[in-house]
Amino acid sequence: MAWKQPSAQVRDLIRQCAQIVVNARPEWLEELDRAVLAATPAVASDPELAAAVSRSNRANLYFWGTANVRDPGAPVPPNTGPEPLSIARELVRRGVNEFPLDAYRVGEGVAWRRLMEIAFELTSDPAVLHELLDACSRSISAFIDATLAGIAAQIEVERDELTRGTHAERRETITLILDGAPIPRRRAEERLGYALTGAHTAAVIWSDDPDGDLAALDRAAEAFGQAAGGVRPLSVLASTATRWVWAPGSTVDTEALTQSIGDMRDVRVAIGSTGDGVEAFRRSHFDALTTQQMMARLHSPQQIATFTDIQLVALLTADADRAGAFVKHTLGDLESADTELQDTVRVFVNEQCNASRAAARLYLHRNTLLRRLARADELLPRPLTQSSVNVAVALDVLRWNGNRPG
C-alpha cells in the first residue's frame, strides 16, 4: 500500500510533536522504562539486559523523533543501530530463542499515549487532529514493525555465530549442570576443563559500561581466581558484558580482589556461597545471581558484594516498598543522618554492643564513640538497647543502597 503523505498543516504539527519527543522529559523516559520492564520480569531481573532495553527505548524514541523533524510524515526506516541490535546479541547469549515482542508493544503504547497528549495540546481542530493522529499512528506502528524485523534477523545471525566453536559447548555444559540435567561428571569436566569435585565459589562479573573496556572483565575473572587461592578460574561468556566464573577453594580474599580491580571502575563482582561438589557449583552460582540482582535493584555503589554479607538484605529488599517502610519505622531521623554516625552505630551493634571493641575497630576514642551513640539514641524512635538487631538490619539496607544520604 502506497504511503499517504499528510497535508502541509499536519506535517508542520508532526514536526512540532517530533521536536518535543526528541527532547523528552526524564519522567517520560522513566515511565517508558518502568512499563517495558514490568512486562518482562526476566529482563528486569538482569541488570545488563535491563540497561540495554533502557538504552534501546531512548534510541528508538530519538530515532523516530529526529526522522520526523527532518521529514515529517514520511516513512521512518528501521532503527538498526547498536542499541536495539545489542539486545539481539544479549538474548541469544542467554539462550532466549524469541525476542519478547510484548515489551516493544508495551513501549509503543506508552509512547503513543504521550504523543496523543502532545497532539491535543497543539490543536483542537477535529479534522486536523484526526489526520495528525492517523499519520502518527501509522508511522509509529510501521517503524516498530520494521525495527522488530531487523532485530529478528540479527538474532538469527547471532545464533549462527554463537553455535559454532568451543564457547557453545562450554555454555551448553554449564546450562545442563545448572538445570540439574544428569550429565556424567567426568564428561562435564572434560568439556569444561574444570574439576567439579571439592569446594567451589562462583561469581558473576559484569560491566556497567558495555561499550567500555570489556577485556577488563577477563582480567577481573583472573583476579578472582588469584583471590581464591591463586588458581585459574572457569570463566564462561554469559553475555557481551557479563562473565560467569567459578574458582576451586573454600575462601576468597575480598580485600585482595578489591585491590586488584579497584582501578576497573565499571567492573562489578557478585560472589556466591561456597560448598563442595556439583550441587554447590550450582547453588553458589544462583547465590551470586541473587547478589547481582540485589546490587542492581538497590543501585548499590559497592564494587564487590558477597552473598554472605547481603543475604538478609536481599530477602528484605525483594519488596522495595515494605523495605523502605521498615527502614523509616526502625531508624526514624537516623535514616537521614550522616554516614559517619550510621556507620558508628552499625559497627557497634556488629561488635555485640561492646564499646571498647567498636571504638578500636573505628579508630575512635571510647568517649567519642559514646557521644555518637547518645546522638543516635536521640534520633532513633526507640533506644538502641531495645532495637539493636532491627537497627543493624536497617542500616545494612542503607549501606547497600545507592540512595543513602551522604
Side-chain angles (χ1 to χ4, degrees):
M1 183 180 295
W3 188 264
K4 182 181 178 181
Q5 194 76 341
S7 65
Q9 181 182 5
V10 168
R11 281 170 55 84
D12 181 62
L13 290 173
I14 291 175
R15 176 180 282 113
Q16 294 180 52
C17 286
Q19 287 172 334
I20 295 173
V21 168
V22 168
N23 298 288
R25 298 174 183 174
E27 57 267 28
W28 293 1
L29 299 175
E30 291 170 3
E31 178 191 26
L32 179 61
D33 286 344
R34 284 196 303 271
V36 171
L37 293 176
T40 51
V43 172
S45 66
D46 184 318
E48 186 182 350
L49 194 52
V53 168
S54 178
R55 290 193 299 273
S56 182
N57 286 340
R58 287 155 172 73
N60 286 333
L61 273 181
Y62 188 79
F63 191 96
W64 184 88
T66 53
N68 277 282
V69 169
R70 290 193 306 269
D71 191 1
V76 179
N79 181 9
T80 55
E83 293 87 1
L85 295 189
S86 70
I87 292 179
R89 182 177 305 112
E90 302 309 335
L91 289 170
V92 171
R93 289 184 172 178
R94 287 161 169 78
V96 179
N97 294 322
E98 295 182 3
F99 184 75
L101 300 180
D102 289 346
Y104 261 75
R105 294 306 179 195
V106 169
E108 179 184 354
V110 172
W112 174 237
R113 288 195 299 274
R114 284 294 183 185
L115 195 63
M116 283 195 293
E117 291 176 4
I118 296 169
F120 276 94
E121 291 175 359
L122 294 178
T123 181
S124 58
D125 185 303
V128 173
L129 189 60
H130 181 275
E131 184 184 358
L132 171 61
L133 293 177
D134 179 66
C136 288
S137 176
R138 289 187 294 111
S139 176
I140 293 174
S141 181
F143 167 66
I144 292 297
D145 286 345
T147 298
L148 287 176
I151 292 175
Q154 185 65 22
I155 283 177
E156 293 305 314
V157 172
E158 294 291 337
R159 183 178 293 115
D160 182 62
E161 291 181 356
L162 197 62
T163 52
R164 297 194 297 265
T166 57
H167 168 76
E169 184 177 82
R170 294 174 71 189
R171 177 61 191 264
E172 178 188 23
T173 303
I174 290 293
T175 300
L176 290 171
I177 294 172
L178 296 179
D179 287 345
I183 180 174
R185 179 176 59 80
R186 289 190 177 181
R187 183 184 176 196
E189 290 176 340
E190 289 173 0
R191 283 185 166 191
L192 298 175
Y194 180 89
L196 294 173
T197 54
H200 310 281
T201 305
V204 176
I205 301 176
W206 77 102
S207 174
D208 285 333
D209 181 10
D211 298 320
D213 177 18
L214 297 183
L217 294 172
D218 298 316
R219 296 196 299 272
E222 292 296 325
F224 176 72
Q226 290 297 314
V231 295
R232 185 172 184 80
L234 167 64
S235 180
V236 176
L237 181 70
S239 67
T240 303
T242 302
R243 305 290 183 268
W244 290 349
V245 186
W246 287 263
S250 57
T251 58
V252 177
D253 187 340
T254 54
E255 291 187 7
L257 181 59
T258 300
Q259 292 178 358
S260 297
I261 70 169
D263 60 341
M264 307 177 194
R265 296 189 178 182
D266 295 318
V267 172
R268 315 288 296 283
V269 181
I271 302 173
S273 55
T274 299
D276 292 335
V278 175
E279 179 55 34
F281 182 93
R282 297 176 64 248
R283 185 177 62 253
S284 183
H285 172 71
F286 293 130
D287 289 345
L289 287 177
T290 297
T291 305
Q292 181 199 30
Q293 291 164 6
M294 188 219 70
M295 294 172 75
R297 185 168 63 246
L298 297 183
H299 304 288
S300 175
Q302 310 294 337
Q303 187 177 25
I304 298 173
T306 68
F307 181 72
T308 302
D309 287 340
I310 65 87
Q311 186 174 10
L312 183 57
V313 174
L315 287 172
L316 184 64
T317 58
D319 185 324
D321 291 339
R322 295 183 68 179
F326 169 77
V327 169
K328 290 183 180 299
H329 176 76
T330 303
L331 298 183
D333 291 338
L334 184 61
E335 181 187 7
S336 58
D338 61 80
T339 55
E340 183 180 65
L341 182 57
Q342 292 175 355
D343 288 341
T344 298
V345 175
R346 184 173 54 81
V347 170
F348 173 71
V349 176
N350 287 342
E351 291 296 335
Q352 288 78 50
C353 298
N354 185 299
S356 297
R357 286 205 305 267
R361 183 173 163 186
L362 291 166
Y363 302 101
L364 294 175
H365 191 281
R366 191 173 185 277
N367 289 342
T368 302
L369 175 76
L370 295 176
R371 282 196 296 271
R372 290 185 186 177
L373 294 177
R375 172 57 182 158
D377 261 339
E378 295 174 359
L379 301 175
L380 287 168
R382 297 171 59 206
L384 184 59
T385 55
Q386 300 175 18
S387 58
S388 60
V389 173
N390 284 0
V391 167
V393 172
L395 288 174
D396 230 15
V397 172
L398 285 185
R399 183 166 70 99
W400 291 104
N401 198 320
N403 297 318
R404 76 184 296 203

